[in-house]
Amino acid sequence: MPLERTFSIIKPDAVERNKIGEITAMLEAAGLRIVASKRILLNHDKAAEFYAVHSDKPFFKSLCDFMCSGPIVVQVLEGDNAVQRNRDVMGATNPEEASEGTIRKEFALSLEKNSVHGSDSLKNAEIEISHFFTQEDIIS
Ligand code: CMP
């Protein structure tokens, strides 16, 4: 399996409930290594830039407002097949559809307050990582 890097966000709803450690433990137990991590507060411009692909969606403004509502943790995860591995441990976007044992099943409050974000492809992982990290920030 290819060694990959993917991008993860622990969202404001989970940070606010002090779930960074429990979520990170689930990522690590799934075989992912945290090779860069920082706690930040997004501003509206940065949130809109990051979620630009959703700019025409009805939930866009609410999503950006939510993502700026409190601190988040942005991370680079490394591992075999990291993009899919992370998506598997996150579970479905809508927590009502998330499988048992996934992060969203365990922690998500709603479709919007779904605790984590993860890249959906290797190409998007590269783009999303570059929004927040330089190559020097990432230590394998
Ligand atoms: P995320 O993986 O961060 O990507 C976009 C986010 O938009 C998604 O998780 C959800 O938190 C949020 N969202 C809000 N409403 C919807 C919706 N109807 N469909 C998909 N995503 C939504």
Side-chain angles (χ1 to χ4, degrees):
M1 274 188 288
L3 187 70
E4 295 177 351
R5 286 177 179 166
T6 191
F7 177 71
S8 165
I9 302 178
I10 303 178
K11 295 188 180 186
D13 66 284
V15 173
E16 203 267 329
R17 285 175 289 142
N18 216 18
K19 300 300 182 189
I20 298 169
E22 286 173 72
I23 288 174
T24 300
M26 289 176 78
L27 296 171
E28 291 179 336
L32 295 159
R33 184 175 294 273
I34 316 301
V35 293
S37 181
K38 59 185 172 188
R39 179 183 177 107
I40 60 170
L41 194 55
L42 284 183
N43 63 37
H44 202 277
D45 285 351
K46 185 78 182 169
E49 183 190 324
F50 181 78
Y51 277 120
V53 67
H54 295 303
S55 60
D56 58 346
K57 308 271 173 52
F59 58 82
F60 180 68
K61 184 180 180 306
S62 177
L63 171 63
C64 292
D65 288 347
F66 166 61
M67 292 300 291
C68 299
S69 68
I72 62 173
V73 175
V74 290
Q75 297 184 313
V76 180
L77 313 179
E78 188 175 83
D80 289 336
N81 221 12
V83 171
Q84 189 58 48
R85 204 177 271 251
N86 183 41
R87 291 184 72 75
D88 289 347
V89 70
M90 284 195 305
T93 305
N94 185 343
E96 287 177 14
E97 294 161 14
S99 303
E100 288 297 332
T102 62
I103 293 168
R104 285 169 170 158
K105 179 72 177 182
E106 185 91 3
F107 298 111
L109 302 175
S110 66
L111 180 53
E112 182 171 84
K113 295 179 176 169
N114 65 352
S115 299
V116 282
H117 165 84
S119 307
D120 63 2
S121 68
L122 202 50
K123 186 171 184 304
N124 283 337
E126 255 183 59
I127 294 167
E128 292 179 359
I129 289 168
S130 73
H131 279 267
F132 297 98
F133 297 99
T134 67
Q135 283 306 313
E136 290 72 40
D137 294 328
I138 304 169
I139 315 289
S140 290

